[in-house]
């Protein structure tokens, strides 16, 4: 369904029933309508496809057995094949024999030092083996083929052919299935239809057709015969193998449960009614995003084995160098995983297209996942704590996500996580690879009995595949780095009690306001690519940065951060008043001979508040960030002691009176919408109220002590 245009596409044919009577029509296609296949399907078509020829014996189920496999139920599958021990044995021997021979040949190549010479040959052989074994193994290969950073190019090229260029089954069988499922003759359903499939994938194959009643060009996908029976037995075998591997390797992750989660999604994918409903929901949630295209679905012409949808033209995203659409994909994935929790769990390159008008098209909605709200919030918190090197909180996040048992030694885990992640995080958020993080975590996961919850396996797969597609466009691209700006923006704007509590804890460490972390979140949120434009933060002028920060803090979404800023301004102004009085007192007493210097009334907290005020003024004036102190509260305290009270007061007064620094702030005020200007006018009143309350509380506290 997602193949590139052929040199000479097969013509539309009249949708008469009998293959021998189909005659070409003088059909003029609309502009830019081309059948997408790099080789004409006639060239690869066989009377019996490779899968059926090699594994057709798996299809031998009676009607009641076949009907019982519409939904995934491992107990039913086991009960069916418990009565068919010879078929199970034959399948196990087939898998072991074909894959065993291939691994033996690879071993012989390695010891005979001709691995490089035989690379392409072995890659082609592996593709042929997987095609013969069928859909379950093809699905695994599709996921692997999305990671150009993990597998050699020869294997990548061969395995990518399994995405949509598998040998098709008989068109006669396909047309019979369409008529049986939709209950009408083919010529009453379609005025034209391609005589051969334009794409063939693991579970079905696609025809291009024109609807009889509306004339709309559509894609008609027909399910392969026998796929449910074959997948059911393969899952039974893989699940048993997963149990043996878990026991032998003493893994903490429930590997059979991971297989169950994958199998459940695979069974849902085989129900085309479910896929159409998924597509409709996906279109409602994400179809309005700029430059994202989701096809329309024809529910009335869809059954469990036949699905009809809008025809989409384009090229695989992995085959074109379009970094803009990669960013659009990252933004759309952020919305899927962290905004609504309904995500595409199978975003391999065959399911993502670049349309000819430059949009990102999603197709094939059989394998979708649900990410619950509590896990979405936990995932966001884990990312924030990772970037800010808060490994204590990160250990707690892993417990929340179910990755770590609650009985684990938190101190030991924190120490291990620090060792695993500190080097990666030190390179900066934009250089953190999702794949590298998983790889570095391997030993620690085993030592502390980490486990991969079944719900999380599809999330990891989706992120890993997405990063693989991005890497094919830009080898240096990192999905976490591309997603983090949106995560930062969500943490700053979301009204979820859990995320607000997390933001509060992040910004106040041991009672100390970490303005460096707020600056980091604000600057990262400015990097977030919007639907309207892809703007790099480096390209944002000082005025524009100030405008965006003010626009954010003055809106309803920025109310929580605005309250924090007002509170910290009040603290800073209070400390500034004390420091100013103390500076004048010190200056006056210094002129009196032999007069002792009065003791400082400023506490460490006052000094921190004073320097935070300085940084807040710099932030709002668009000045570059001063020295970052992201190594913990002690380092931050040390930073606050670098200047004396008088020096800090002098710097702040200069900041307040410097016309050059205030100009960016004054320039953006007229550019703000009227409602935000009104909100800005009310801020001084709120600030004075907080300042008076703080001064009164401090006065009473000192009077009583």
């Amino acid at each position: 369904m997602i193949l590139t245009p052929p040199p000479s596409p097969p013509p539309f044919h009249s949708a008469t029933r009998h293959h021998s009577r189909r005659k070409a029509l003088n059909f003029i296609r609309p502009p830019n309508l081309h059948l997408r296949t790099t080789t004409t399907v006639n060239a690869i078509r066989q009377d019996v496809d490779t899968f059926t020829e090699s594994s057709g014996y798996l299809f031998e189920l009676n009607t009641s057995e076949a009907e019982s496999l519409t939904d995934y139920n491992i107990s039913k599958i086991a009960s069916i094949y418990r009565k068919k021990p010879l078929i199970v044995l034959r399948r196990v021997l087939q898998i072991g024999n074909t894959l065993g021979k291939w691994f033996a040949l690879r071993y012989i190549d390695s010891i005979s030092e001709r691995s490089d010479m035989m690379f392409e040959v072995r890659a082609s052989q592996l593709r042929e083996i997987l095609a013969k074994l069928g859909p379950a193994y093809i699905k695994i290969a599709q996921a692997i083929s999305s990671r150009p950073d993990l597998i050699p190019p020869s294997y990548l090229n061969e395995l990518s052919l399994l995405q949509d260029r598998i040998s098709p089954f008989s068109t006669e069988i396909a047309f019979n299935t369409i008529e049986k499922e939709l209950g009408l003759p083919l010529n009453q359903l379609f005025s034209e239809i391609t005589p051969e499939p334009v794409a063939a994938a693991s579970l079905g194959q696609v025809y291009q057709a024109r609807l009889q009643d509306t004339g709309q060009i559509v894609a008609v996908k027909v399910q392969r015969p026998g796929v449910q029976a074959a997948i059911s037995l393969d899952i039974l075998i893989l699940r048993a193998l997963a149990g043996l591997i878990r026991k032998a390797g003493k893994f903490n992750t429930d590997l059979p449960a991971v297989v169950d989660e994958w199998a459940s999604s695979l069974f849902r994918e085989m129900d085309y009614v479910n896929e159409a409903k998924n597509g409709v929901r996906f279109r409602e949630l994400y179809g309005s995003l700029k430059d994202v295209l989701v096809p329309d679905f024809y529910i009335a012409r869809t059954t469990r084995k036949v699905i009809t949808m809008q025809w989409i033209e384009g090229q695989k995203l992995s085959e074109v160098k379009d970094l803009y659409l990669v960013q659009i994909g990252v933004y759309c994935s952020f919305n899927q995983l962290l905004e609504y929790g309904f995500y595409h769990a199978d975003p391999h390159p065959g399911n993502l297209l670049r349309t000819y008008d430059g949009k990102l098209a999603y197709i094939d909605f059989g394998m979708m996942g649900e990410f619950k709200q509590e896990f979405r919030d936990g995932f966001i918190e884990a990312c924030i704590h990772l970037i800010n090197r808060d490994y204590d909180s990160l250990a707690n996040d892993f417990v929340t996500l179910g990755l770590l048992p609650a009985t684990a030694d938190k101190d030991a885990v924190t120490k291990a996580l620090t060792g695993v992640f500190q080097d990666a995080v030190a390179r900066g958020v934009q250089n953190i690879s999702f794949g590298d993080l998983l790889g570095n975590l391997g030993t620690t996961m085993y030592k502390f009995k980490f486990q991969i919850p079944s719900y999380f396996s599809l999330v990891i797969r989706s992120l890993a595949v997405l990063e693989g597609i991005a890497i094919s466009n830009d080898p240096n691209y990192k999905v976490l780095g591309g997603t983090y700006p949106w995560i930062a923006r969500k943490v700053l704007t979301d009204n979820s009690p859990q995320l607000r509590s997390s933001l509060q804890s992040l910004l106040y460490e041991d009672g100390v306001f970490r303005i460096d972390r707020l600056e980091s979140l604000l600057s990262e949120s400015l990097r977030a690519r919007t639907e309207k434009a892809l703007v790099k933060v480096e390209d944002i002028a000082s005025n524009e940065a100030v405008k965006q920060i003010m626009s954010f803090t003055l809106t309803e979404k920025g109310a929580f951060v605005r309250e924090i800023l007002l509170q910290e301004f009040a603290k800073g102004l209070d400390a500034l008043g004390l420091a100013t009085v103390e500076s004048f007192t010190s200056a006056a007493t210094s002129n009196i001979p032999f007069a002792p210097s009065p003791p400082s009334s400023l506490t460490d907290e006052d000094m921190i508040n004073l320097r935070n005020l300085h940084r807040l003024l710099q932030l709002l004036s668009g000045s570059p960030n001063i020295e970052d102190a992201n190594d913990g509260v002690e380092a931050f305290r040390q930073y606050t002691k670098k200047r004396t009270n008088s020096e800090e007061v002098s710097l702040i007064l200069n900041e307040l009176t410097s016309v050059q620094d205030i100009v960016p702030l004054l320039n953006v005020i007229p550019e703000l919408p009227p409602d935000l200007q009104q909100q800005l006018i009310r801020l001084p009143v709120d600030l004075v109220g907080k300042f008076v309350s703080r001064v009164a509380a401090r006065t009473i506290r000192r009077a009583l002590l």
Side-chain angles (χ1 to χ4, degrees):
M1 179 173 181
I2 317 166
L3 298 177
T4 51
S8 54
F12 269 101
H13 278 60
S14 171
T16 51
R17 178 64 198 89
H18 300 291
H19 184 77
S20 59
R21 292 174 54 196
R22 294 182 200 122
K23 298 180 180 179
L25 298 177
N26 293 322
F27 177 74
I28 300 176
R29 299 183 185 87
N32 299 324
L33 183 62
H34 304 287
L35 296 183
R36 298 169 295 170
T37 174
T38 52
T39 58
T40 58
V41 183
N42 282 325
I44 61 173
R45 186 181 185 280
Q46 304 169 4
D47 291 334
V48 180
D49 62 283
T50 302
F51 171 52
T52 302
E53 184 179 16
S54 302
S55 305
Y57 64 91
L58 299 174
F59 305 169
E60 298 171 5
L61 296 180
N62 59 45
T63 304
S64 62
E65 289 173 337
E67 290 176 353
S68 68
L69 296 178
T70 54
D71 298 309
Y72 179 65
N73 186 317
I74 193 62
S75 299
K76 287 183 180 179
I77 294 173
S79 66
I80 289 174
Y81 286 103
R82 198 175 292 120
K83 303 171 186 176
K84 304 175 183 293
L86 294 179
I87 290 181
V88 175
L89 178 61
R90 182 177 175 183
R91 185 60 168 174
V92 170
L93 291 175
Q94 180 189 9
I95 296 170
N97 181 48
T98 53
L99 291 177
K101 282 183 178 179
W102 185 83
F103 280 110
L105 290 171
R106 286 284 294 133
Y107 177 72
I108 293 172
D109 291 341
S110 64
I111 62 176
S112 61
E113 298 183 352
R114 57 173 193 162
S115 295
D116 294 341
M117 187 194 325
M118 298 299 293
F119 230 60
E120 293 186 6
V121 174
R122 299 295 178 235
S124 178
Q125 289 174 344
L126 179 60
R127 175 183 58 79
E128 293 172 359
I129 288 171
L130 295 174
K132 290 178 180 179
L133 291 178
Y137 299 92
I138 291 171
K139 283 291 180 183
I140 296 172
Q142 286 175 348
I144 296 173
S145 68
S146 303
R147 298 294 312 203
D149 54 329
L150 299 181
I151 63 173
S154 297
Y155 283 85
L156 180 69
N157 294 336
E158 288 292 336
L159 295 182
S160 64
L161 296 177
L162 295 174
Q163 292 167 3
D164 47 25
R165 278 177 249 176
I166 300 170
S167 61
F169 61 93
S170 165
T171 288
E172 198 70 24
I173 293 175
F175 285 177
N176 280 331
T177 302
I178 293 173
E179 291 188 335
K180 180 180 178 181
E181 290 290 314
L182 299 183
L184 289 172
L186 209 63
N187 59 358
Q188 291 185 29
L189 294 168
F190 311 110
S191 56
E192 287 90 28
I193 189 169
T194 49
E196 302 295 343
V198 296
S202 56
L203 299 182
Q205 59 194 37
V206 179
Y207 296 83
Q208 189 186 49
R210 184 185 294 279
L211 293 177
Q212 183 69 261
D213 51 355
T214 65
Q216 183 72 33
I217 303 295
V218 295
V220 184
K221 184 164 68 173
V222 188
Q223 192 170 108
R224 286 181 178 274
V227 290
Q228 283 182 316
I231 287 175
S232 297
L233 179 52
D234 285 338
I235 286 171
L236 186 67
I237 294 170
L238 290 172
R239 195 176 186 278
L241 183 61
L244 291 174
I245 292 174
R246 185 191 185 194
K247 186 177 294 185
K250 297 181 181 179
F251 291 102
N252 304 305
T253 298
D254 188 351
L255 295 180
V258 172
V259 174
D260 287 336
E261 181 72 17
W262 174 66
S264 297
S265 66
L266 199 52
F267 266 71
R268 291 192 295 270
E269 188 175 1
M270 288 187 286
D271 182 355
Y272 288 169
V273 173
N274 181 67
E275 178 179 346
K277 291 178 179 178
N278 287 340
V280 170
R281 183 182 175 190
F282 195 91
R283 181 183 174 92
E284 290 173 351
L285 291 176
Y286 315 116
S288 60
L289 296 179
K290 182 174 176 59
D291 292 327
V292 171
L293 178 63
V294 183
D296 202 1
F297 289 81
Y298 299 85
I299 304 295
R301 296 236 168 91
T302 297
T303 68
R304 289 185 65 88
K305 295 184 178 181
V306 175
I307 185 171
T308 307
M309 69 183 79
Q310 176 187 354
W311 180 266
I312 301 291
E313 282 294 330
Q315 298 170 277
K316 291 181 185 178
L317 183 60
S318 59
E319 294 179 352
V320 293
K321 301 296 181 182
D322 195 329
L323 294 180
Y324 170 79
L325 286 189
V326 170
Q327 290 290 350
I328 292 295
V330 169
Y331 174 64
C332 189
S333 294
F334 164 81
N335 276 272
Q336 294 172 48
L337 284 169
L338 303 180
E339 284 290 345
Y340 298 100
F342 182 66
Y343 64 95
H344 201 300
D346 192 25
H348 66 71
N351 290 337
L352 295 173
L353 293 179
R354 182 194 184 280
T355 64
Y356 294 122
D357 58 351
K359 293 184 178 182
L360 176 65
Y362 284 80
I363 59 176
D364 196 343
F365 303 93
M367 189 177 289
M368 308 296 291
E370 293 273 2
F371 206 16
K372 294 181 180 179
Q373 182 68 54
E374 60 267 29
F375 295 135
R376 300 205 299 269
D377 289 347
F379 185 82
I380 291 171
E381 288 175 321
C383 291
I384 293 293
H385 292 146
L386 171 65
I387 300 305
N388 287 280
R389 309 178 199 183
D390 186 354
Y391 300 114
D392 285 319
S393 298
L394 184 61
N396 292 326
D397 296 332
F398 284 173
V399 174
T400 301
L401 291 169
L403 297 168
L404 192 66
T407 56
D409 184 343
K410 300 289 177 52
D411 292 335
V413 171
T414 299
K415 184 177 180 180
L417 292 177
T418 303
V420 168
F421 292 138
Q422 63 181 355
D423 290 339
V425 177
R427 293 195 297 267
V429 62
Q430 297 181 58
N431 297 311
I432 298 177
S433 165
F434 180 75
D436 289 346
L437 289 182
L438 291 180
N440 295 340
L441 200 56
T443 303
T444 303
M445 291 178 69
Y446 185 81
K447 180 179 179 181
F448 292 101
K449 301 185 184 301
F450 273 64
Q451 52 195 7
I452 304 298
S454 55
Y455 82 89
F456 207 54
S457 59
L458 288 180
V459 174
I460 292 175
R461 181 182 186 276
S462 179
L463 288 173
V465 169
L466 180 64
E467 185 168 71
I469 295 172
I471 288 172
S472 68
N473 283 268
D474 179 4
N476 298 317
Y477 190 83
K478 305 292 185 286
V479 162
L480 184 56
T483 307
Y484 184 69
W486 295 108
I487 294 176
R489 177 171 291 188
K490 183 171 179 63
V491 170
L492 290 170
T493 60
D494 199 278
N495 59 8
S496 159
Q498 183 175 340
L499 288 185
R500 287 200 169 180
S501 175
S502 178
L503 179 60
Q504 184 84 18
S505 300
L506 181 71
L507 296 182
Y508 290 91
E509 184 177 1
D510 295 340
V512 178
F513 178 56
R514 296 294 303 274
I515 188 173
D516 56 312
R517 290 180 173 178
L518 178 61
E519 284 181 298
S520 174
L521 286 171
L522 287 171
S523 63
E524 284 295 332
S525 69
L526 294 182
R527 286 183 54 238
R529 274 67 168 173
T530 66
E531 304 97 314
K532 295 181 180 179
L534 299 182
V535 182
K536 293 184 178 180
V537 69
E538 299 92 317
D539 299 333
I540 298 178
S542 174
N543 285 20
E544 184 62 24
V546 172
K547 181 181 177 182
Q548 290 192 31
I549 291 173
M550 290 188 65
S551 297
F552 158 66
T553 54
L554 292 173
T555 59
E556 184 178 349
K557 285 187 175 182
F560 186 70
V561 174
R562 183 170 67 245
E563 283 299 306
I564 291 176
L565 290 174
L566 286 174
Q567 191 66 44
E568 293 305 318
F569 262 112
K571 291 179 182 179
L573 291 174
D574 180 33
L576 178 62
L578 290 173
T580 303
V581 171
E582 186 171 292
S583 295
F584 280 122
T585 303
S586 297
T589 56
S590 66
N591 295 324
I592 302 175
F594 309 110
S597 298
S600 176
S601 60
L602 291 177
T603 64
D604 285 347
E605 179 185 357
D606 291 327
M607 288 305 301
I608 291 173
N609 292 336
L610 192 61
R611 276 135 189 166
N612 280 341
L613 176 62
H614 185 203
R615 292 188 75 166
L616 284 171
L617 291 172
Q618 285 188 316
L619 181 66
L620 292 180
S621 66
S623 301
N625 291 348
I626 53 182
E627 180 181 345
D628 191 14
N630 199 33
D631 295 322
V633 69
E634 284 305 316
F636 188 72
R637 287 183 191 277
Q638 291 299 317
Y639 155 73
T640 64
K641 296 179 181 179
K642 289 183 179 179
R643 288 186 288 266
T644 64
N645 299 1
S646 58
E647 288 174 334
E648 195 68 45
V649 171
S650 177
L651 282 170
I652 293 174
L653 291 176
N654 286 337
E655 196 82 37
L656 288 171
T657 57
S658 173
V659 176
Q660 182 179 357
D661 289 337
I662 295 177
V663 165
L665 185 61
L666 297 177
N667 285 343
V668 301
I669 293 177
E671 299 177 11
L672 296 174
D675 57 327
L676 297 188
Q677 292 184 25
Q678 291 296 320
Q679 180 66 45
L680 182 63
I681 293 173
R682 290 192 291 269
L683 286 186
V685 177
D686 295 339
L687 179 59
V688 169
K690 293 181 185 300
F691 174 71
V692 170
S693 297
R694 179 170 178 81
V695 171
R698 175 175 48 77
T699 303
I700 294 172
R701 184 172 63 251
R702 292 190 176 183
L704 295 177
L705 291 178

